[in-house]
Amino acid sequence: MTTAIRTSTALTVDNVTLTYPDGTGRLTALDRVSLRVTGGTIAAITGPSGSGKSSLLAVAATLIHPDSGHITLETPTGTTDLATVGRREAAALRRSSIGIVFQQSNLIPALTALEQLEVMSHLGQHLHVSTQQRRETRTRAIELLDAVGLADQKSKRPAHLSGGQRQRVNIARALMNNPALLVIDEPTSALDTERGSAIIDLILTIAHDHNTATLLVTHDRTHLHRMDAVYTMTDGHLAQIASATP
Ligand code: ADP
């Protein structure tokens, strides 16, 4: 007899439909989409522009509620339906459990690379942060910048970093709070092949080491063979085209 093994971290998207207002009617951006990604693995989403990829990331990241369906995030501490979570709880989840890396890096121009990460940690905390907490935050921020290969760039502001370096700060920042779920849009779009490969290496290592369930949108087909599962989106329909699991 086989017993279903449940990993402690997983994202399950179940029959999710999302529509947007469109003139007098509605446009269906996600049409009964389902997928599951477990901790430590990466699901890549490909597909033409306008097919619904960003919409899928947005619902998984709690930024938009779908019209119907369930999006379940299981973590070692509990299970939440992201499709129906309230605004305040969603904001708390994005601080504690969901790392978001979108194409526009949204780095704050006045802050150094190190400060971009530190500020993540202090969001949502009380005004008074103890010296001990500050010290721990700084240590983690330095460790992460080191992990993304930016240990020697930590005092630089975004204007003095290259596109690839900014992307790496972005990824390090999304990991600051050790998220169960990482949602990444086009991480290699602004990079040459070699730097793109290095970013994919980094994301693979992170997903594995941190047991993060990762949803990654990409146009870049060169790295697809390294993903645990590959899906393609067409007109809001999601279909799996490859899987590393037999
Ligand atoms: P992709 O990321 O694959 O380019 P999107 O998820 O951005 O696709 O878009 C899917 C469809 O939804 C497209 O037809 C797009 O025009 C539409 N769409 C996206 N965002 C909105 C919005 N905020 N309001 C109305 N329509 C939208």
Side-chain angles (χ1 to χ4, degrees):
M1 198 184 92
T2 48
T3 318
I5 298 167
R6 293 189 77 77
T7 53
S8 55
T9 298
L11 174 79
T12 309
V13 176
D14 181 22
N15 219 17
V16 162
T17 293
L18 171 73
T19 65
Y20 295 111
D22 180 32
T24 53
R26 309 281 304 176
L27 181 151
T28 303
L30 297 176
D31 192 358
R32 290 161 291 160
V33 165
S34 298
L35 96 155
R36 179 172 165 88
V37 49
T38 51
T41 70
I42 304 186
I45 318 285
T46 61
S49 177
S51 59
K53 303 180 302 295
S54 305
S55 297
L56 176 58
L57 293 191
V59 294
T62 74
L63 300 172
I64 314 179
H65 276 176
D67 301 32
S68 59
H70 296 286
I71 305 167
T72 312
L73 180 62
E74 295 162 63
T75 70
T77 52
T79 298
T80 315
D81 188 350
L82 304 181
T84 53
V85 71
R87 204 176 269 259
R88 192 178 290 219
E89 198 187 338
L93 273 167
R94 290 195 300 270
R95 283 195 297 268
S96 64
S97 309
I98 305 174
I100 303 177
V101 183
F102 284 164
Q103 268 172 283
Q104 343 58 315
S105 73
N106 296 330
L107 295 177
I108 302 163
L111 301 185
T112 66
L114 182 63
E115 289 163 347
Q116 310 278 349
L117 271 66
E118 288 178 322
V119 94
M120 261 317 277
S121 218
H122 298 312
L123 282 178
Q125 287 186 342
H126 296 294
L127 278 179
H128 181 73
V129 180
S130 71
T131 314
Q132 169 76 5
Q133 279 171 307
R134 276 184 202 285
R135 206 172 291 142
E136 284 169 10
T137 298
R138 173 148 303 195
T139 305
R140 174 145 182 82
I142 290 171
E143 276 169 11
L144 281 171
L145 286 174
D146 195 16
V148 299
L150 291 178
D152 52 351
Q153 310 288 326
K154 59 181 181 295
S155 306
K156 287 198 180 162
R157 296 191 167 80
H160 297 125
L161 296 169
S162 70
Q165 289 172 330
R166 282 201 287 270
Q167 187 63 285
R168 284 188 273 159
V169 176
N170 230 354
I171 293 170
R173 184 178 60 171
L175 293 170
M176 220 16 222
N177 298 334
N178 220 352
L181 170 64
L182 192 56
V183 167
I184 309 186
D185 197 4
E186 294 277 6
T188 58
S189 61
L191 309 175
D192 59 40
T193 312
E194 197 179 321
R195 292 212 166 81
S197 270
I199 291 281
I200 296 293
D201 285 344
L202 174 67
I203 294 169
L204 286 163
T205 307
I206 284 161
H208 192 253
D209 290 359
H210 296 252
N211 198 38
T212 312
T214 301
L215 213 48
L216 179 145
V217 163
T218 182
H219 273 118
D220 188 346
R221 308 194 68 81
T222 30
H223 308 293
L224 291 183
H225 65 283
R226 304 168 70 199
M227 303 295 157
D228 298 285
V230 180
Y231 294 83
T232 184
M233 185 79 88
T234 318
D235 288 339
H237 294 276
L238 190 72
Q240 185 163 1
I241 54 174
S243 169
T245 35

